[in-house]
Amino acid sequence: ETGVTQSPTHLIKTRGQQVTLRCSSQSGHNTVSWYQQALGQGPQFIFQYYREEENGRGNFPPRFSGLQFPNYSSELNVNALELDDSALYLCASSKDRAHTEAFFGQGTRLTVV
Amino acid sequence: DQQVKQNSPSLSVQEGRISILNCDYTNSMFDYFLWYKKYPAEGPTFLISISSIKDKNEDGRFTVFLNKSAKHLSLHIVPSQPGDSAVYFCAASALTNNNDMRFGAGTRLTVKP
């Protein structure tokens, strides 16, 4: 039981729409990282939030944005959805930015049509 | 920019035998390496890790070997069990930039009874 929960589990959106994905971090964890996993590929780092501030970003355009709340839960927002945004979106929570104890949620499967 | 590569998309072994999963990386700044296991419809689960100051780390049936000069690591599972059947991801990070963890594309391991 990882304690990291993501919602929704599945989502279908139309190209051009906006989407918000949510992640509740494990108790005691103050860091949330978001990843995009396309079919047949490994997870790709989108960004990380540590104590409510962005703490690093991967090679994703500005239409991918995020938030972290005082309880350390987090949101990933994607604007102007494109077909290529269809993927599994994973969040991982950890303590103090360390990857050694990162726990992943089950992911949100986003399909853009 | 594929800095972490798993060149074998799949591997099949007999129950009781050794499974060897390989991973290569290109970025010499990486100094911490992790293996994750992923079952369908679940998020990746942390399995074992190794820092660059070591060349071997063992945890029960799982051993990770690191060859820094060759920029190569491998995961050995002995003995393999049918429950080990999953997709295995290799990941790497640099402590100087520890918010960015790079993943390989994964290797699907099938352990046959």
Side-chain angles (χ1 to χ4, degrees):
Chain A
E1 197 80 41
T2 64
V4 178
T5 58
Q6 292 185 242
S7 62
T9 53
H10 295 85
L11 197 55
I12 299 175
K13 287 285 191 179
T14 303
R15 189 172 51 183
Q17 285 188 311
Q18 178 265 346
V19 70
T20 298
L21 310 182
R22 295 179 174 82
C23 173
S24 295
S25 58
Q26 180 153 319
S27 176
H29 286 184
N30 53 22
T31 302
V32 172
S33 302
W34 285 92
Y35 294 84
Q36 180 196 66
Q37 185 181 6
L39 203 60
Q41 297 181 24
Q44 287 196 55
F45 176 71
I46 302 175
F47 43 56
Q48 183 186 76
Y49 277 84
Y50 169 66
R51 294 183 179 270
E52 302 179 59
E53 303 233 341
E54 186 177 290
N55 180 55
R57 188 180 184 91
N59 190 25
F60 280 81
R63 58 189 185 84
F64 285 77
S65 63
L67 280 174
Q68 188 178 32
F69 299 100
N71 66 355
Y72 302 129
S73 66
S74 178
E75 287 182 354
L76 164 65
N77 299 291
V78 187
N79 293 323
L81 283 166
E82 300 177 0
L83 297 179
D84 285 348
D85 295 333
S86 297
L88 180 68
Y89 288 84
L90 295 161
C91 84
S93 81
S94 57
K95 190 174 180 182
D96 296 334
R97 296 169 290 184
H99 293 302
T100 54
E101 297 290 338
F103 293 94
F104 281 84
Q106 83 283 7
T108 294
R109 172 72 61 187
L110 172 66
T111 302
V112 182
V113 298
Chain B
D1 177 9
Q2 194 72 12
Q3 296 188 30
V4 178
K5 295 181 182 178
Q6 293 176 258
N7 292 320
S8 298
S10 64
L11 175 67
S12 181
V13 301
Q14 206 66 34
E15 181 179 6
R17 306 294 291 269
I18 183 170
S19 295
I20 300 177
L21 296 100
N22 294 303
C23 178
D24 297 291
Y25 61 97
T26 57
N27 189 340
S28 58
M29 297 299 292
F30 288 147
D31 51 14
Y32 197 82
F33 306 89
L34 309 92
W35 284 94
Y36 282 85
K37 180 169 72 172
K38 186 179 187 298
Y39 293 118
E42 295 183 13
T45 302
F46 170 74
L47 196 57
I48 192 169
S49 63
I50 188 168
S51 74
S52 59
I53 62 172
K54 295 184 175 181
D55 54 17
K56 176 183 174 181
N57 189 25
E58 191 171 353
D59 183 2
R61 298 185 297 113
F62 302 91
T63 303
V64 55
F65 295 92
L66 175 63
N67 182 334
K68 289 186 291 292
S69 60
K71 293 191 179 67
H72 177 84
L73 65 155
S74 60
L75 173 68
H76 293 209
I77 306 174
V78 183
S80 301
Q81 299 173 355
D84 296 330
S85 297
V87 177
Y88 289 79
F89 292 101
C90 165
S93 67
L95 286 180
T96 54
N97 185 24
N98 65 358
N99 52 42
D100 185 354
M101 187 161 56
R102 299 294 179 106
F103 283 81
T107 297
R108 181 177 299 279
L109 173 66
T110 302
V111 180
K112 298 179 179 178

